[in-house]
Amino acid sequence: MIKESDLKVLFDAEAIQQEIAKLGKQLNNIYKDEEIYLICVLKGSVMFMADLAKHLKMPLKMEFIRLSSYGSAFTTSGKVNAVDIALPDLNNKNVLIIEDIIDTGHTAKFLIDFINLNFKTKDLKFCSLLDKKVKREVDIDADYYCFEIDDKFLVGYGLDYDGYYRNIPYIGYVEV
Ligand code: IMP
Ligand code: MG
């Protein structure tokens, strides 16, 4: 079990909020007054989605889906499990997927393929708080992200270790 005192701070709460505010501005400029659907990928993206949405000025709706990838507490396996993927009609809508982190990219690919298979969206973009580019196994990229990170296991601000530490307001890491 990891103790909170073992965590090293990578991004403090202020740095996170600063980057999210910047991203919010960028998205306001891109979408202007066009309506968008934010798709929050539970559970890890809950903090990011809530904070980002507060900066957005266009009409928007929030949807929540739940995916999980099998693996140990520290790794993802590439097999994505759709726990709850009920979505409204996204045909002809602007859709922005909100993720906490892209690691191997399997979750992102699964979700983008799923939406493209089921809907003809007006526009589909992928937004992630964190991007672990060095770990990528599939050819996929975030359209928007706040921080690029190297291969560290991160917790806090939505990210968990075995379900814990999602509530920590900063992002920290442990050496594995
Ligand atoms: P991917 O499918 O390998 O890109 O992994 C995506 C999911 O793995 C994320 O949405 C997270 O839930 C989880 N994940 C990947 N890296 C980390 C990490 O460093 N800490 C906590 N969860 C992670
Ligand atoms: Mg996630």
Side-chain angles (χ1 to χ4, degrees):
M1 185 67 197
I2 303 168
K3 296 197 294 302
E4 195 187 336
S5 54
D6 294 335
L7 295 178
K8 299 184 174 73
V9 178
L10 186 60
F11 304 115
D12 63 22
E14 201 188 329
I16 295 169
Q17 294 305 327
Q18 244 172 41
E19 286 307 305
I20 291 176
K22 265 198 248 168
L23 176 61
K25 256 192 198 156
Q26 189 187 350
L27 295 173
N28 285 331
N29 285 330
I30 290 166
Y31 291 100
K32 308 262 193 286
D33 292 329
E34 281 206 52
E35 182 171 308
I36 64 172
Y37 277 73
L38 300 181
I39 313 283
C40 175
V41 186
L42 294 173
K43 301 171 186 173
S45 309
V46 66
M47 302 285 185
F48 179 39
M49 160 98 146
D51 285 339
L52 177 64
K54 288 178 228 168
H55 293 280
L56 300 179
K57 300 190 194 312
M58 71 292 279
L60 66 81
K61 292 188 178 180
M62 295 181 184
E63 300 296 330
F64 298 85
I65 62 170
R66 189 154 164 221
L67 302 178
S68 69
S69 42
Y70 302 99
S72 77
F74 287 117
T75 58
T76 58
S77 63
K79 285 194 210 94
V80 181
N81 183 23
V83 179
D84 175 6
I85 200 163
L87 285 168
D89 181 2
L90 298 176
N91 286 306
N92 206 29
K93 307 288 188 197
N94 295 307
V95 179
L96 184 59
I97 300 169
I98 309 290
E99 254 287 37
D100 50 357
I101 185 167
I102 310 190
D103 185 16
T104 61
H106 288 289
T107 304
K109 186 174 185 329
F110 173 90
L111 200 47
I112 289 166
D113 288 351
F114 179 87
I115 290 177
N116 281 330
L117 197 70
N118 286 281
F119 308 101
K120 203 166 169 18
T121 59
K122 184 172 178 195
D123 182 65
L124 177 62
K125 293 285 190 305
F126 198 95
C127 174
S128 184
L129 178 67
L130 301 156
D131 193 343
K132 244 188 232 184
K133 287 188 198 286
V134 292
K135 289 282 296 294
R136 208 68 100 249
E137 291 174 7
V138 292
D139 184 22
I140 210 134
D141 252 319
D143 297 287
Y144 314 106
Y145 64 91
C146 291
F147 301 101
E148 182 175 344
I149 48 168
D150 45 58
D151 187 12
K152 285 191 170 63
F153 185 79
L154 306 179
V155 296
Y157 197 70
L159 297 157
D160 72 304
Y161 168 74
D162 202 20
Y164 295 101
Y165 300 126
R166 295 190 198 275
N167 57 313
I168 293 175
Y170 60 89
I171 293 171
Y173 66 97
V174 279
E175 311 282 1
V176 288

